[in-house]
Amino acid sequence: MGVGSQDAIKQLQAFIDQVEEPLRTTFQNVHQGHVTETLMRFLKARDWDPYKAYKMLVDCLNWRVQNEIDNILSKPIVPADLYRAVRDSQLIGVSGYSREGLPVFAVGVGLSSFDKASVHYYVQSHIQINEYRDRIILPSASKKHGRPITTCIKVFDMTGLKLSALNQIKLLTIISSIDDLNYPEKTNTYYIVNTPYIFSACWKVVKPLLQERTRRKVQVLPGCGRDELLNVGFFVLFCPRFFEQDSWSPEQLKLCHDEEKNCQLS
């Protein structure tokens, strides 16, 4: 880290030290004891401009206060049947850790229908997953490895992707905006695997919605990406078997089992 970067961190630290309650309290939930790493994330998102990074961070803290994000983990989606429907149609979970100890989230993009509840509940679920990652999973990984671990890796499994997925572009835009503005630089790399022939058409629509700094992190891998992912220190079975498969349709199960066989035989 160069002198300029260190100066930017010190300047942003001086700015943020001036904030008062309730922003000060919610900032603690953001940094989880790793203040420098958090300030660096916001600086990276604003090209190391401390003034712009400060505005971004304060906007984020105000968003958290206004939307009671600090309490969102204690506000489950109810009733239970609605929660289960949301989770069954929004497939995501931790599937392992990289060699460096970063949690790996596998996201079943192709088999996530996002059609069992209103946009509001999927957004709530997404934020809850983010907060659980930042307040539970990452601190636990940091403690285990004895150093700050504040970011993750995501693997997007496109098994079963259909053009109809573009019907959810409004939801995807909302989620992307929330992540860009309030959870910047939380993902090191986005790996995309098991891409069907229609992926390129979908990608042309989705790509312009992403920030340039996010697009630079995307890597589309051939097939299930086994060899490439082994090289970076982890292997994930991209058929998301960590989800509760007894709630899947026969079509979903067949698609995933077919992809598993293809990956093992390749």
Side-chain angles (χ1 to χ4, degrees):
M1 185 164 52
V3 175
S5 300
Q6 293 175 348
D7 289 344
I9 293 172
K10 290 179 181 178
Q11 193 168 1
L12 180 55
Q13 177 73 71
F15 290 158
I16 206 66
D17 283 345
Q18 302 304 311
V19 302
E20 300 179 351
E21 296 294 352
L23 302 190
R24 186 180 294 273
T25 295
T26 196
F27 183 51
Q28 293 176 355
N29 271 329
V30 173
H31 68 65
Q32 292 291 316
H34 304 301
V35 177
T36 298
E37 289 77 10
T38 299
L39 298 180
M40 287 177 63
R41 289 195 296 105
F42 282 85
L43 283 164
K44 287 179 182 178
R46 289 298 178 262
D47 297 321
W48 292 91
D49 184 320
Y51 296 98
K52 292 181 179 179
Y54 173 67
K55 182 182 185 305
M56 182 185 192
L57 180 50
V58 169
D59 287 346
C60 166
L61 299 180
N62 280 315
W63 170 80
R64 294 181 64 87
V65 171
Q66 293 165 8
N67 293 279
E68 300 183 346
I69 302 301
D70 288 348
N71 301 321
I72 198 168
L73 293 180
S74 63
K75 296 180 178 179
I77 295 173
V78 291
D81 287 349
L82 176 61
Y83 169 77
R84 189 70 265 165
V86 169
R87 296 297 291 119
D88 284 347
S89 54
Q90 182 186 33
L91 304 178
I92 181 172
V94 177
S95 60
Y97 292 83
S98 72
R99 182 186 294 120
E100 291 76 23
L102 274 64
V104 179
F105 283 81
V107 185
V109 176
L111 293 176
S112 293
S113 60
F114 298 105
D115 61 354
K116 305 302 181 183
S118 67
V119 167
H120 165 79
Y121 290 110
Y122 286 109
V123 171
Q124 178 182 345
S125 175
H126 179 79
I127 295 173
Q128 286 175 327
I129 291 167
N130 281 355
E131 291 294 309
Y132 188 81
R133 173 197 63 196
D134 294 349
R135 292 196 243 167
I136 306 296
I137 295 173
L138 291 174
S140 176
S142 298
K143 182 178 180 180
K144 178 180 179 180
H145 291 274
R147 58 181 175 80
I149 294 178
T150 59
T151 58
C152 68
I153 294 169
K154 289 185 179 179
V155 181
F156 291 153
D157 183 354
M158 297 295 163
T159 299
L161 184 68
K162 299 177 181 178
L163 280 174
S164 58
L166 295 177
N167 294 334
Q168 305 302 331
I169 202 69
K170 176 184 176 182
L171 171 61
L172 297 177
T173 301
I174 294 172
I175 287 176
S176 176
S177 178
I178 287 173
D179 286 352
D180 284 335
L181 297 176
N182 303 293
Y183 302 93
E185 301 296 323
K186 292 298 294 189
T187 303
N188 281 16
T189 310
Y190 300 87
Y191 295 105
I192 298 178
V193 301
N194 295 327
T195 56
Y197 71 95
I198 64 166
F199 169 75
S200 58
C202 295
W203 181 235
K204 286 180 181 179
V205 176
V206 173
K207 186 176 180 180
L209 303 176
L210 305 177
Q211 297 287 333
E212 176 58 31
R213 69 178 194 276
T214 300
R215 292 199 292 265
R216 289 196 297 265
K217 297 178 181 181
V218 175
Q219 294 187 33
V220 181
L221 304 181
C224 65
R226 180 185 58 190
D227 294 338
E228 292 80 2
L229 293 173
L230 280 172
N231 287 334
V232 297
F234 64 87
F235 177 74
V236 181
L237 180 59
F238 294 112
C239 168
R241 59 169 52 180
F242 47 84
F243 302 129
E244 295 182 12
Q245 295 190 8
D246 58 355
S247 65
W248 288 17
S249 69
E251 179 187 20
Q252 288 176 320
L253 286 171
K254 183 178 185 302
L255 282 167
C256 274
H257 292 160
D258 288 346
E259 283 296 339
E260 178 179 346
K261 291 177 182 177
N262 291 337
C263 186
Q264 292 171 344
L265 292 173
S266 61

